[in-house]
Amino acid sequence: MAAVTEAPPLPIVERLSLNDEQAAAATHRGAPLLVVAGAGTGKTKTLVARLASLLDDGVEPNRILLLTFTRRAAAEMLSRVEAAAGSGARQVWGGTFHSVATRLLRAVAPQIGLAPNFTVLDPGDVSDLFSIVRAEHVDHGGRRFPKADTIASIYSRTVNAQQPLDEVLKADFGWCLEHRDALGAIFTAYTQAKREQNVLDYDDLLLFWRAVMPTPIGAELRQRFDHVLVDEYQDTNPIQADIVAGLCRGDEAATLCVVGDDAQAIYGFRAATVAHLREFESSYPEAAVVTLEQNYRSTTPILDLANDVLAQSPNHRRKHLWTERSGDGRPELVTCHDDADQARVICDAVLEARERGLTLQEQAVLFRAGHHSDRLELELTRRDVPYVKFGGLSYLETAHVKDLLSLLRIADNPDDRLAWHRVLTMLDGVGPATAARLLDELGVDETGVDALARFTDGAGEMPESAETAADELRAAFGDCTSGRLDCGSQVDRLRPFCILTFPGRYENAPARLGDLEQLAASAGDQTDRSRFLAELTLDPPSKTSDRAGPPHRDDDWLTLSTIHSAKGGEWRRVHLLHAADGNLPSDMAISDADGLDEELRLAYVALTRAKDELMVTFPLRFHVHRQRLDDRHVYAQLSRFLEPVRHHFDEHTTPAAGGGTTITLDPNLRVGVADEVDAALGSLW
């Protein structure tokens, strides 16, 4: 009997059914490669194919680096690569710029002046630390001075854009110019405080990585990788572009492949610059370029609209999206009387689509700014339509979750003064002054002092009202640092302390304690607490408490999302609301050419999220005071991006409030109502 031989695996092009352009991108070798991937053209599929193709060629997976902007994107790609090319994909270095930076910096920390157990500050922590530094270093003399959040924004913009403070203030924070010297002093003190406490912010992670690259240690890092793949390259800031160049230029440099779309560059407020993608060929003269134009998501009527919207700007790489999906209907444009009418129209449309067979999860409502959905959320709640909102407060920004994360941060880095301050003030009777005294008694961030060991040994004179909770906290810290508990078990071990302290801090303590169970589940059985904390901080889960009541038994809900948060998503039916000048584009961007161009790209991104159906609404008038009962309002015009392309829509107008009923009377008819009212009034006095 003849032996059965296995057929050789199919080439990656056939395994993943790639079109010609996708196949060219997947199999290109040698020179740097730019893949310009239009919306819905299979960008992720192409990156997955390139990764799988490299593994097929025998490239060692741990010598491939995949850089993305969300951890979920990296996880999805690597999971799909594993399905296509085998389990070796698990060894690929994949993650966000910040998460990869954290891993690399921990590996070389002693050689570059860092302690390996450094803590990563999230944006809320950064504002808190700036608040402390501001209080210590600023005497505003009774005059208006920037608050901590504004200072943090100025600092991050200065660092990420790599622009001098003076230029950033002139361009974006003109009213703060007079405080330029004070801000410089605050930034210096803030940097010193971070070093003393062994903490890094998001910007530090990239700055340290970039600073390492020209050094001998950087040469070692560069030799670690043979191939570097970068997703969403149009969203890189100058520091990230420098890091990529440091990995992929010079002797023994890695081969570079970047994927992006300048038409979807919408993160200018984070100092991302589309120039890196547009100027890729001048930065890498030998580069090859592949353009993906076949769209697999949307119907032809939706793409015709999106193409014509984008064509209003000359500032993008030429491409024309096309599809083989003809589609049954054209996009709808609905003019509403006001924002309340708009909310009713959208609810009606969502529920009507549900009756036709589209689940709520197959639909989304998109908007330019988070507050644009306020009226709609009230209407959805009134009609018992469950929803999840993205683009608002993230799960890890909620106070009670930050409480528990601060506990974990202390266990990981006892020098973290900010975390200590938050935890100590959770204790009954401990305010800012008492917390400051306890920090000094424990020796937090003092050289050579283990503040956590001192605390668990009983150091720190507590108020009598805090003793029970403090004893529980000492025992919990002892268990969490024993090395016997995985991360999920550490979260569970810290919950009794939260049970003791949350009722005094929060009105809805039971619900907040329930959220900690989700955090324990997220931790799972991870054993590396530092890595768990860094991943949570750098790519937190979305807030889950925005539903209108408990989800229905069919576990269905509607997605509400800002356009920024919707990037990368797709739904069968999309509702774009508040499509009026001043909202989209935002009135803050109208006077700036670059800002206006980015707003147009936002509109393009919103339109191209729709697969089958698209409805755009705009109210004719907006109430000036959304939280008041007066009737002050302004009238609006359709977005300047949509006015020139109205011919792509089927248009509808809702009737005016009150139903538009007309009363017709005989002009000769007279009744004595006025006389009766006057007589009734006269009887009162």
Side-chain angles (χ1 to χ4, degrees), residues 437-633:
R437 172 180 60 79
L438 288 169
L439 289 169
D440 291 338
E441 292 177 4
L442 295 173
V444 175
D445 74 28
E446 286 186 17
T447 303
V449 176
D450 188 339
L452 184 55
R454 295 190 64 181
F455 177 75
T456 53
D457 287 342
E461 185 179 349
M462 297 288 173
E464 184 176 349
S465 57
E467 288 179 354
T468 299
D471 288 343
E472 168 58 35
L473 181 58
R474 290 187 175 100
F477 272 147
D479 291 338
C480 288
T481 56
S482 66
R484 297 189 301 267
L485 302 180
D486 59 39
C487 292
S489 299
Q490 290 180 43
V491 174
D492 287 334
R493 180 62 188 90
L494 291 165
R495 286 185 78 246
F497 172 71
C498 297
I499 291 172
L500 289 174
T501 55
F502 276 17
R505 290 170 64 81
Y506 308 114
E507 292 183 0
N508 54 343
R512 292 176 184 259
L513 288 166
D515 275 350
L516 302 188
E517 296 178 6
Q518 179 182 335
L519 194 63
S522 299
D525 57 358
Q526 291 193 49
T527 56
D528 190 332
R529 183 176 53 227
S530 296
R531 185 166 182 176
F532 170 65
L533 282 169
E535 288 180 349
L536 272 180
T537 303
L538 296 172
D539 194 12
S542 299
K543 186 180 179 184
T544 59
S545 57
D546 281 326
R547 293 181 185 167
H552 291 176
R553 290 183 179 179
D554 58 6
D555 203 27
D556 196 14
W557 62 83
L558 178 70
T559 294
L560 308 186
S561 176
T562 62
I563 301 172
H564 284 101
S565 296
K567 187 170 177 290
E570 60 181 35
W571 295 268
R572 288 186 61 189
R573 181 178 177 89
V574 166
H575 306 260
L576 175 61
L577 58 76
H578 282 305
D581 249 30
N583 290 332
L584 183 66
S586 166
D587 55 4
M588 300 294 289
I590 289 176
S591 60
D592 176 67
D594 289 339
L596 194 59
D597 208 43
E598 182 163 315
E599 293 290 307
L600 184 140
R601 296 194 293 269
L602 265 175
Y604 173 80
V605 166
L607 299 175
T608 53
R609 299 310 95 195
K611 298 169 68 174
D612 302 322
E613 302 176 16
L614 172 66
M615 187 174 86
V616 178
T617 58
F618 87 101
L620 285 173
R621 67 176 194 166
F622 295 89
H623 289 273
V624 177
H625 300 297
R626 292 194 303 274
Q627 307 302 328
R628 299 182 186 175
L629 298 179
D630 64 28
D631 193 39
R632 294 177 59 192
H633 60 271

Side-chain angles (χ1 to χ4, degrees), residues 99-249:
S99 64
V100 171
T102 304
R103 291 175 64 187
L104 292 174
L105 293 178
R106 288 200 197 283
V108 301
Q111 287 79 28
I112 62 174
L114 291 174
N117 66 332
F118 61 79
T119 301
V120 180
L121 301 179
D122 67 23
D125 299 323
V126 169
S127 290
D128 290 342
L129 186 52
F130 267 121
S131 182
I132 294 171
V133 173
R134 177 184 185 273
E136 292 175 348
H137 291 82
V138 174
D139 179 10
H140 51 74
R143 300 188 64 191
R144 181 187 181 200
F145 192 85
K147 291 187 175 181
D149 287 345
T150 303
I151 296 172
S153 296
I154 296 171
Y155 174 83
S156 186
R157 182 77 185 185
T158 302
V159 171
N160 280 289
Q162 292 291 278
Q163 290 180 308
L165 175 58
D166 291 335
E167 292 182 11
V168 171
L169 292 177
K170 289 176 183 176
D172 300 306
F173 302 90
W175 73 271
C176 300
L177 268 170
E178 64 178 298
H179 305 297
R180 185 255 179 264
D181 292 341
L183 288 169
I186 289 174
F187 293 166
T188 299
Y190 168 74
T191 301
Q192 182 179 352
K194 287 187 296 180
R195 300 298 169 263
E196 291 172 350
Q197 298 178 36
N198 190 30
V199 298
L200 301 180
D201 59 28
Y202 285 12
D203 302 323
D204 287 330
L205 294 172
L206 301 184
L207 288 171
F208 272 80
W209 187 2
R210 184 181 68 171
V212 163
M213 292 312 298
T215 71
I217 296 173
E220 293 291 327
L221 296 181
R222 185 161 45 250
Q223 293 170 16
R224 179 186 293 267
F225 304 110
D226 294 328
H227 293 270
V228 174
L229 293 81
V230 186
D231 189 21
E232 305 285 12
Y233 191 67
Q234 78 279 354
D235 293 334
T236 53
N237 64 31
I239 303 173
Q240 291 163 329
D242 286 347
I243 289 170
V244 171
L247 290 168
C248 302
R249 284 184 185 159

